[in-house]
Amino acid sequence: KNLNTEDLVTKARLELRRAEKAVKDAREIVDGLTLKAPFDGMVLSVNGVVGQEVPPGSAQNPLVEIAAKGMWQVIAYVDENDISKVSVGMPVEITLSALEDQVFKGRVSALGGQPKISNEVVSYPVTIDMIDSSDLFMPGMSADAIIIAMRKEGVLLLPEGAIVERR
């Protein structure tokens, strides 16, 4: 069958549209297979390999763990004898071993979870949201936290051994 130039151009345009649609469909498939975080952050761990199938609802074993940039938390363990004195919203002073000369502010955001038992002492996790932040923070850094249960201004604080009762 003899096709004139106009028919050949029309046929080529149809083939081009089909090819463009195939490329668009392939891009959508690739985009659906690409993991994208909804925020800027740092990848903490990858628990899978390329090509691995991940069942839906696998939140207990996340494929990727990501820390949100600038949204830092400290998990501190509090002795069972003191946990009842801690409540959400309490202010916290945090020092990091790597940045000993700086005190950072935080606030208790959650209490409880799986207790830790060490030498027959039970302690419970307390989640502290960091108010202050630093570009020097890294996941897994060691931290000391002082939870401020009460604050009194203009009070003299003495060690118990310095107090002597006179009769």
Side-chain angles (χ1 to χ4, degrees):
K1 184 175 180 187
N2 285 339
L3 296 174
N4 63 29
T5 307
E6 199 172 297
D7 290 339
L8 289 172
V9 168
T10 301
K11 185 177 176 186
R13 284 189 178 136
L14 282 172
E15 288 177 18
L16 176 63
R17 282 192 203 119
R18 281 190 205 118
E20 287 172 339
K21 170 113 174 60
V23 168
K24 181 181 174 236
D25 291 347
R27 281 196 177 121
E28 286 176 4
I29 289 170
V30 168
D31 285 347
L33 298 174
T34 303
L35 294 175
K36 295 179 186 172
F39 51 82
D40 288 341
M42 178 185 302
V43 175
L44 301 179
S45 68
V46 177
N47 305 310
V49 294
V50 174
Q52 175 183 345
E53 287 190 36
V54 180
S58 55
Q60 297 301 327
N61 300 310
L63 184 63
V64 179
E65 290 183 272
I66 303 171
K69 198 173 190 176
M71 296 176 65
W72 294 97
Q73 289 184 324
V74 172
I75 307 298
Y77 282 83
V78 176
D79 185 283
E80 65 183 331
N81 296 321
D82 296 324
I83 195 69
S84 64
K85 300 170 191 158
V86 179
S87 60
V88 171
M90 285 183 159
V92 182
E93 293 177 350
I94 301 131
T95 53
L96 301 175
S97 297
L99 306 169
E100 286 181 9
D101 58 330
Q102 295 179 341
V103 176
F104 299 96
K105 289 184 169 87
R107 196 160 295 286
V108 173
S109 62
L111 299 171
Q114 185 66 37
K116 194 191 296 189
I117 302 170
S118 177
N119 296 328
E120 298 183 24
V121 175
V122 180
S123 55
Y124 291 90
V126 173
T127 304
I128 301 163
D129 290 341
M130 301 284 291
I131 295 170
D132 297 332
S133 186
S134 169
D135 290 338
L136 301 173
F137 289 177
M138 297 294 287
M141 284 184 151
S142 297
D144 288 317
I146 298 172
I147 299 171
I148 313 294
M150 182 188 310
R151 188 178 296 252
K152 298 263 185 180
E153 301 295 328
V155 175
L156 179 61
L157 179 65
L158 297 173
E160 193 174 323
I163 302 172
V164 178
E165 186 176 332
R166 293 194 180 159
R167 294 178 198 205

